[in-house]
Amino acid sequence: MSHYVKFTYQRAGADIAPFDALAELNACRRRLVDQHLLGVYPNGVGFGNMSVRDGRTTSFYITGSATGVLPELSPRDCVRVVAYDFARNWLSYEGAAIPSSESLTHAAVYESDPTISAVIHCHDSALWRTLLDRVPSSSKRVIYGTPEMAHEIMRLFNVTDLRRRAILAMAGHEGGIVTFGKNLEDAFEVLMRERSESSPCI
Ligand SMILES: [Zn+2]
């Protein structure tokens, strides 16, 4: 089991076929890496992950754990999450990689709104500080990659304007930001808009 992944998982299939959204995923991912929103810290720990819904199903493709160092992802670096259970902190997937530690967080976003088809989780400490409590923010007590985070995200969809804002800050996860949209381009644009609005005018 991966050191970072906190849920239990079951591999339902050894490999996934190349999927349509992979090119879009890699293109968006390059832009995130260029802006240091996803990648690897100097200590070797990767950060950031991305997913796309598989058509109109409840399954989704997500980047694998510990892939932050790779310049380009192949199908072997992604998995298709085909089932999950928040209460059991469990998921089932197909693919050669280990699902991202935030897979259940992504699942909670898809579960909350069937029109959402892409989710980005990135790190940006400066933007995160300006977003905290200005946009829907998860409780400081809730730790990333736990069932509590999945429930917290679903709670935010219910009690805040998260659906309209399409961005949330994870108060208990330094730098942790989640954006989403009907595709990756949308999710990325939300991030860029918040970034430009929060930049100080000099
Ligand atoms: Zn994170």
Side-chain angles (χ1 to χ4, degrees), residues 13-163:
D15 272 310
I16 52 170
F19 51 100
D20 288 349
L22 183 59
E24 183 196 2
L25 189 148
N26 269 316
C28 183
R29 187 173 174 278
R30 272 192 297 276
R31 296 167 76 184
L32 291 167
V33 171
D34 285 349
Q35 304 208 35
H36 311 290
L37 292 160
L38 180 151
V40 188
Y41 289 122
N43 64 5
V45 175
F47 63 95
N49 39 71
M50 308 164 68
S51 70
V52 286
R53 192 191 286 273
D54 182 14
R56 290 175 180 270
T57 71
T58 55
S59 301
F60 58 92
Y61 293 97
I62 188 163
T63 51
S65 185
T67 56
V69 69
L70 303 173
E72 183 96 2
L73 301 187
S74 76
R76 288 190 64 78
D77 308 312
C78 303
V79 303
R80 182 168 171 259
V81 175
V82 293
Y84 49 83
D85 185 337
F86 298 124
R88 286 166 56 208
N89 194 19
W90 168 91
L91 66 79
S92 174
Y93 73 99
E94 300 164 352
I98 291 170
S100 158
S101 58
E102 294 280 5
S103 293
L104 289 176
T105 302
H106 289 242
V109 175
Y110 294 123
E111 182 88 16
S112 298
D113 187 339
T115 69
I116 295 169
S117 286
V119 179
I120 295 172
H121 167 59
C122 65
H123 285 197
D124 181 333
S125 293
L127 177 60
W128 177 76
R129 277 190 292 274
T130 72
L131 290 176
L132 278 180
D133 299 319
R134 188 167 67 74
V135 301
S137 302
S138 61
S139 160
K140 214 180 169 96
R141 288 174 288 104
V142 176
I143 298 166
Y144 84 94
T146 60
E148 289 73 30
M149 182 61 85
H151 289 294
E152 178 70 350
I153 301 240
M154 292 187 280
R155 185 186 70 83
L156 291 175
F157 268 95
N158 284 328
V159 303
T160 72
D161 59 353
L162 176 56
R163 187 172 276 103

